[in-house]
Amino acid sequence: MSNIALLFPGQGSQMIGMGKGFWNHFDMARKIFEEASDAISFDLRKLCFEGSMDDLTMTINAQPALLTVSVIAYQVYMQEMGVEPRYLAGHSLGEYSALVCAGVLSFHDAIKLVRQRGIIMQNADPDQQGTMVACSNIRLETLQTICEEVSTLEYPVCVACINADQQFVISGHRRSIQKMIARTEFRGIKHSFLNVSGPYHSPMMQIAAKQFKAELEQIKYNPAIIPIISNVTAEPYQPDRSVIDYLNMQMTMPVRWLESMHYLIGNGITEVIELGSKHVLAGLMSKITKSIMPYSLSQPSDLLILKNIHGRKNKLMTIRKNMLSKLVVTAHITRNYNPDSISYADRVEPLFLKLQQVKELLDNPGYELSEEEINSYIQMCHSILSAKRIPMMRSC
């Protein structure tokens, strides 16, 4: 089992030229672009490669464009790398990319769905009274308190994305957003308006959420073949809750990205690969933790880096697996020099059952030991050898 999770970006990651490298190098990329264009009756390839940034940034265009490029990047990853991920996670719109790659949604349904999602979201704020602003160098509790003080039913504002420690996005009515900025800028808080066209993940999307639920109910959903982390719960989708519920709640509730990444950390993920344009999520991971290495696959040249890293890692894993095999035999057959038989029995005998289980795993060609398992089993063998107090170890 791999220790890799794949991440899919959301709005704000769009850029002119996105997906062009894949188009030039992979037949599959051309077919996916064509399928997307046919599904929404719109030349998506031309928009991504030759359109204006203003047109690409429009929600109705950005959402199918980002989904298409992420799905292409995933197909390229699986074709060229082939390492099955343990988890998928997408930021806001990126959750739809994850659903496609996990087999929950067909690409055809998903591209039509996010196009309609974009239309509904854009129509929810036709006069662009709302917006979104990134805020950094502030504590979450402080930001939430100020939001509660400034927000009203008519002019709401809330924390929409919890991206990293002291890096958040607020969303809501421009009047309240301006009050938020006025209250926080003197504290050294940094603000940056996002390249989006609506107040997403805020109460201003409630009407849009109701409209979109009707669209969600028309779609067929399949069981996920890879666990997907939900933006709303920061945990994998659960079988007792429908996909419709998750996606409908996502419209008005915050993206709990920081907690989602901590879920990956807590479940042994050591590498993440962002699939799509730019490197926004890889950059966030670098700020969140040093225990996970972030990579990106946004163009064919990124494959060279990933393959080199994967090749070196495989060689190292092979060396350590061979070391473990030798240690298992040594720990089992080496004579016990410990004169304290009771202490030895209490400390070592429970480990011999595990030692036999490790040997069976090593002999099983269908089971791939993870890096954490190999390190843990090597440490166990060292514990057994140390408890036996063999002369060589006493002199070291």
Side-chain angles (χ1 to χ4, degrees), residues 176-207:
S176 294
I177 292 283
Q178 291 297 340
K179 288 183 179 179
M180 289 285 300
I181 293 174
R183 285 201 182 192
T184 57
E185 61 184 356
F186 73 93
R187 303 185 186 195
I189 311 306
K190 295 181 180 179
H191 305 91
S192 176
F193 283 84
L194 298 191
N195 197 16
V196 296
S197 53
Y200 310 135
H201 304 289
S202 82
M204 291 182 72
M205 289 289 113
Q206 286 179 351
I207 295 176

Short mmCIF file of all heavy atoms in Angstrom, two decimals, residues 176-207:
data_model
loop_
_atom_site.label_atom_id
_atom_site.label_comp_id
_atom_site.label_asym_id
_atom_site.label_seq_id
_atom_site.Cartn_x
_atom_site.Cartn_y
_atom_site.Cartn_z
N SER A 176 -19.40 44.15 4.13
CA SER A 176 -18.84 43.56 5.35
C SER A 176 -17.38 43.17 5.17
O SER A 176 -16.59 43.24 6.12
CB SER A 176 -19.66 42.32 5.74
OG SER A 176 -20.96 42.70 6.12
N ILE A 177 -17.02 42.77 3.95
CA ILE A 177 -15.62 42.46 3.67
C ILE A 177 -14.75 43.69 3.91
O ILE A 177 -13.68 43.62 4.53
CB ILE A 177 -15.44 41.98 2.21
CG1 ILE A 177 -16.09 40.61 2.01
CG2 ILE A 177 -13.96 41.95 1.83
CD1 ILE A 177 -15.32 39.43 2.53
N GLN A 178 -15.21 44.85 3.45
CA GLN A 178 -14.45 46.09 3.65
C GLN A 178 -14.33 46.43 5.14
O GLN A 178 -13.28 46.91 5.60
CB GLN A 178 -15.12 47.25 2.90
CG GLN A 178 -15.03 47.16 1.38
CD GLN A 178 -13.60 47.21 0.86
OE1 GLN A 178 -12.69 47.67 1.56
NE2 GLN A 178 -13.41 46.74 -0.37
N LYS A 179 -15.39 46.17 5.90
CA LYS A 179 -15.31 46.40 7.35
C LYS A 179 -14.29 45.46 7.99
O LYS A 179 -13.54 45.86 8.89
CB LYS A 179 -16.68 46.19 7.98
CG LYS A 179 -17.68 47.29 7.67
CD LYS A 179 -18.99 47.04 8.42
CE LYS A 179 -20.00 48.14 8.15
NZ LYS A 179 -21.29 47.90 8.87
N MET A 180 -14.27 44.22 7.50
CA MET A 180 -13.29 43.26 8.01
C MET A 180 -11.87 43.74 7.76
O MET A 180 -11.01 43.69 8.65
CB MET A 180 -13.49 41.90 7.33
CG MET A 180 -14.73 41.14 7.75
SD MET A 180 -14.56 40.41 9.39
CE MET A 180 -13.16 39.33 9.14
N ILE A 181 -11.63 44.20 6.55
CA ILE A 181 -10.29 44.67 6.20
C ILE A 181 -9.91 45.87 7.06
O ILE A 181 -8.78 45.97 7.57
CB ILE A 181 -10.23 45.02 4.71
CG1 ILE A 181 -10.37 43.74 3.87
CG2 ILE A 181 -8.91 45.74 4.37
CD1 ILE A 181 -10.46 43.99 2.38
N ALA A 182 -10.86 46.80 7.24
CA ALA A 182 -10.58 48.00 8.05
C ALA A 182 -10.24 47.63 9.49
O ALA A 182 -9.40 48.27 10.12
CB ALA A 182 -11.79 48.93 8.01
N ARG A 183 -10.88 46.59 10.01
CA ARG A 183 -10.65 46.20 11.39
C ARG A 183 -9.35 45.44 11.59
O ARG A 183 -8.83 45.36 12.70
CB ARG A 183 -11.80 45.32 11.89
CG ARG A 183 -13.07 46.08 12.19
CD ARG A 183 -13.93 45.28 13.13
NE ARG A 183 -15.19 45.93 13.43
CZ ARG A 183 -16.00 45.55 14.39
NH1 ARG A 183 -15.67 44.51 15.16
NH2 ARG A 183 -17.13 46.18 14.61
N THR A 184 -8.84 44.83 10.53
CA THR A 184 -7.68 43.95 10.70
C THR A 184 -6.39 44.48 10.09
O THR A 184 -5.31 44.04 10.47
CB THR A 184 -7.97 42.57 10.08
OG1 THR A 184 -8.33 42.73 8.70
CG2 THR A 184 -9.10 41.87 10.81
N GLU A 185 -6.46 45.43 9.16
CA GLU A 185 -5.23 45.83 8.48
C GLU A 185 -4.23 46.50 9.40
O GLU A 185 -3.01 46.40 9.19
CB GLU A 185 -5.56 46.74 7.29
CG GLU A 185 -6.26 48.03 7.64
CD GLU A 185 -6.64 48.82 6.38
OE1 GLU A 185 -6.27 48.36 5.28
OE2 GLU A 185 -7.30 49.86 6.50
N PHE A 186 -4.71 47.16 10.44
CA PHE A 186 -3.78 47.83 11.36
C PHE A 186 -3.01 46.83 12.21
O PHE A 186 -2.01 47.18 12.84
CB PHE A 186 -4.54 48.81 12.26
CG PHE A 186 -5.37 48.16 13.32
CD1 PHE A 186 -4.87 47.93 14.59
CD2 PHE A 186 -6.66 47.76 13.04
CE1 PHE A 186 -5.64 47.31 15.56
CE2 PHE A 186 -7.44 47.15 14.01
CZ PHE A 186 -6.93 46.92 15.27
N ARG A 187 -3.45 45.58 12.24
CA ARG A 187 -2.77 44.55 13.02
C ARG A 187 -1.66 43.86 12.25
O ARG A 187 -1.07 42.90 12.71
CB ARG A 187 -3.78 43.48 13.46
CG ARG A 187 -4.96 44.02 14.25
CD ARG A 187 -5.83 42.87 14.74
NE ARG A 187 -7.04 43.34 15.38
CZ ARG A 187 -7.83 42.59 16.13
NH1 ARG A 187 -7.52 41.31 16.32
NH2 ARG A 187 -8.92 43.06 16.68
N GLY A 188 -1.42 44.31 11.04
CA GLY A 188 -0.40 43.68 10.21
C GLY A 188 -0.93 42.50 9.43
O GLY A 188 -0.16 41.70 8.90
N ILE A 189 -2.25 42.38 9.34
CA ILE A 189 -2.87 41.29 8.59
C ILE A 189 -2.75 41.57 7.10
O ILE A 189 -3.00 42.69 6.64
CB ILE A 189 -4.35 41.12 8.97
CG1 ILE A 189 -4.51 41.08 10.49
CG2 ILE A 189 -4.93 39.88 8.31
CD1 ILE A 189 -3.66 40.05 11.16
N LYS A 190 -2.38 40.56 6.33
CA LYS A 190 -2.28 40.70 4.89
C LYS A 190 -3.59 40.29 4.24
O LYS A 190 -4.20 39.29 4.62
CB LYS A 190 -1.13 39.85 4.35
CG LYS A 190 0.25 40.30 4.84
CD LYS A 190 1.34 39.42 4.24
CE LYS A 190 2.72 39.87 4.73
NZ LYS A 190 3.80 39.02 4.19
N HIS A 191 -4.03 41.06 3.23
CA HIS A 191 -5.28 40.78 2.54
C HIS A 191 -5.03 40.72 1.03
O HIS A 191 -4.23 41.49 0.50
CB HIS A 191 -6.33 41.86 2.81
CG HIS A 191 -6.61 42.09 4.27
ND1 HIS A 191 -5.92 43.01 5.02
CD2 HIS A 191 -7.49 41.49 5.11
CE1 HIS A 191 -6.38 42.99 6.26
NE2 HIS A 191 -7.32 42.08 6.34
N SER A 192 -5.72 39.82 0.38
CA SER A 192 -5.59 39.71 -1.07
C SER A 192 -6.91 39.22 -1.66
O SER A 192 -7.39 38.14 -1.28
CB SER A 192 -4.46 38.73 -1.43
OG SER A 192 -4.40 38.55 -2.84
N PHE A 193 -7.52 40.01 -2.56
CA PHE A 193 -8.77 39.61 -3.19
C PHE A 193 -8.50 38.46 -4.14
O PHE A 193 -7.55 38.48 -4.92
CB PHE A 193 -9.39 40.79 -3.94
CG PHE A 193 -10.07 41.79 -3.04
CD1 PHE A 193 -9.33 42.80 -2.42
CD2 PHE A 193 -11.42 41.71 -2.79
CE1 PHE A 193 -9.94 43.71 -1.58
CE2 PHE A 193 -12.04 42.62 -1.94
CZ PHE A 193 -11.30 43.63 -1.34
N LEU A 194 -9.36 37.43 -4.07
CA LEU A 194 -9.18 36.25 -4.90
C LEU A 194 -9.72 36.46 -6.31
O LEU A 194 -10.62 37.27 -6.53
CB LEU A 194 -9.88 35.04 -4.27
CG LEU A 194 -9.40 34.58 -2.91
CD1 LEU A 194 -10.01 33.23 -2.57
CD2 LEU A 194 -7.89 34.49 -2.84
N ASN A 195 -9.16 35.68 -7.22
CA ASN A 195 -9.54 35.77 -8.63
C ASN A 195 -10.76 34.89 -8.89
O ASN A 195 -10.72 33.95 -9.67
CB ASN A 195 -8.35 35.32 -9.50
CG ASN A 195 -8.49 35.77 -10.93
OD1 ASN A 195 -9.29 36.64 -11.24
ND2 ASN A 195 -7.73 35.16 -11.82
N VAL A 196 -11.85 35.20 -8.19
CA VAL A 196 -13.11 34.46 -8.35
C VAL A 196 -14.23 35.47 -8.56
O VAL A 196 -14.05 36.67 -8.36
CB VAL A 196 -13.42 33.57 -7.13
CG1 VAL A 196 -12.37 32.48 -6.98
CG2 VAL A 196 -13.49 34.41 -5.85
N SER A 197 -15.39 34.98 -8.94
CA SER A 197 -16.48 35.90 -9.29
C SER A 197 -17.71 35.71 -8.41
O SER A 197 -18.83 35.88 -8.86
CB SER A 197 -16.87 35.73 -10.76
OG SER A 197 -17.16 34.38 -11.06
N GLY A 198 -17.50 35.37 -7.13
CA GLY A 198 -18.64 35.22 -6.23
C GLY A 198 -18.22 34.92 -4.81
O GLY A 198 -17.08 34.55 -4.56
N PRO A 199 -19.15 35.08 -3.86
CA PRO A 199 -18.86 34.83 -2.43
C PRO A 199 -19.13 33.37 -2.06
O PRO A 199 -20.10 33.06 -1.36
CB PRO A 199 -19.83 35.77 -1.72
CG PRO A 199 -21.02 35.81 -2.64
CD PRO A 199 -20.49 35.66 -4.05
N TYR A 200 -18.29 32.48 -2.51
CA TYR A 200 -18.53 31.05 -2.34
C TYR A 200 -18.29 30.60 -0.90
O TYR A 200 -17.56 31.24 -0.16
CB TYR A 200 -17.66 30.25 -3.32
CG TYR A 200 -17.78 30.78 -4.73
CD1 TYR A 200 -16.65 30.97 -5.53
CD2 TYR A 200 -19.02 31.15 -5.25
CE1 TYR A 200 -16.76 31.50 -6.80
CE2 TYR A 200 -19.14 31.67 -6.53
CZ TYR A 200 -18.00 31.85 -7.30
OH TYR A 200 -18.12 32.38 -8.56
N HIS A 201 -18.92 29.47 -0.56
CA HIS A 201 -18.82 28.89 0.79
C HIS A 201 -19.27 29.90 1.85
O HIS A 201 -18.64 30.03 2.90
CB HIS A 201 -17.39 28.42 1.07
CG HIS A 201 -16.89 27.45 0.06
ND1 HIS A 201 -17.34 26.15 -0.03
CD2 HIS A 201 -15.97 27.57 -0.95
CE1 HIS A 201 -16.74 25.53 -1.03
NE2 HIS A 201 -15.91 26.37 -1.60
N SER A 202 -20.33 30.62 1.54
CA SER A 202 -20.88 31.59 2.48
C SER A 202 -22.40 31.51 2.46
O SER A 202 -22.99 30.89 1.56
CB SER A 202 -20.44 33.01 2.10
OG SER A 202 -21.26 33.54 1.07
N PRO A 203 -23.08 32.16 3.42
CA PRO A 203 -24.55 32.16 3.42
C PRO A 203 -25.16 32.76 2.16
O PRO A 203 -26.33 32.50 1.86
CB PRO A 203 -24.88 33.01 4.66
CG PRO A 203 -23.70 32.85 5.56
CD PRO A 203 -22.52 32.78 4.64
N MET A 204 -24.40 33.57 1.43
CA MET A 204 -24.93 34.16 0.20
C MET A 204 -25.15 33.11 -0.89
O MET A 204 -25.72 33.39 -1.94
CB MET A 204 -23.98 35.25 -0.30
CG MET A 204 -23.94 36.48 0.59
SD MET A 204 -22.86 37.81 -0.04
CE MET A 204 -23.83 38.39 -1.45
N MET A 205 -24.72 31.87 -0.65
CA MET A 205 -24.91 30.78 -1.61
C MET A 205 -26.07 29.86 -1.23
O MET A 205 -26.25 28.81 -1.82
CB MET A 205 -23.62 29.95 -1.70
CG MET A 205 -22.47 30.65 -2.40
SD MET A 205 -22.74 30.82 -4.19
CE MET A 205 -22.91 32.62 -4.29
N GLN A 206 -26.88 30.25 -0.25
CA GLN A 206 -27.96 29.36 0.21
C GLN A 206 -28.99 29.09 -0.87
O GLN A 206 -29.43 27.94 -1.06
CB GLN A 206 -28.62 29.97 1.45
CG GLN A 206 -27.77 29.86 2.71
CD GLN A 206 -28.42 30.48 3.93
OE1 GLN A 206 -29.45 31.13 3.81
NE2 GLN A 206 -27.82 30.27 5.10
N ILE A 207 -29.40 30.12 -1.59
CA ILE A 207 -30.37 29.91 -2.68
C ILE A 207 -29.76 29.06 -3.77
O ILE A 207 -30.40 28.15 -4.31
CB ILE A 207 -30.83 31.27 -3.24
CG1 ILE A 207 -31.61 32.05 -2.18
CG2 ILE A 207 -31.69 31.07 -4.49
CD1 ILE A 207 -32.02 33.44 -2.60
#
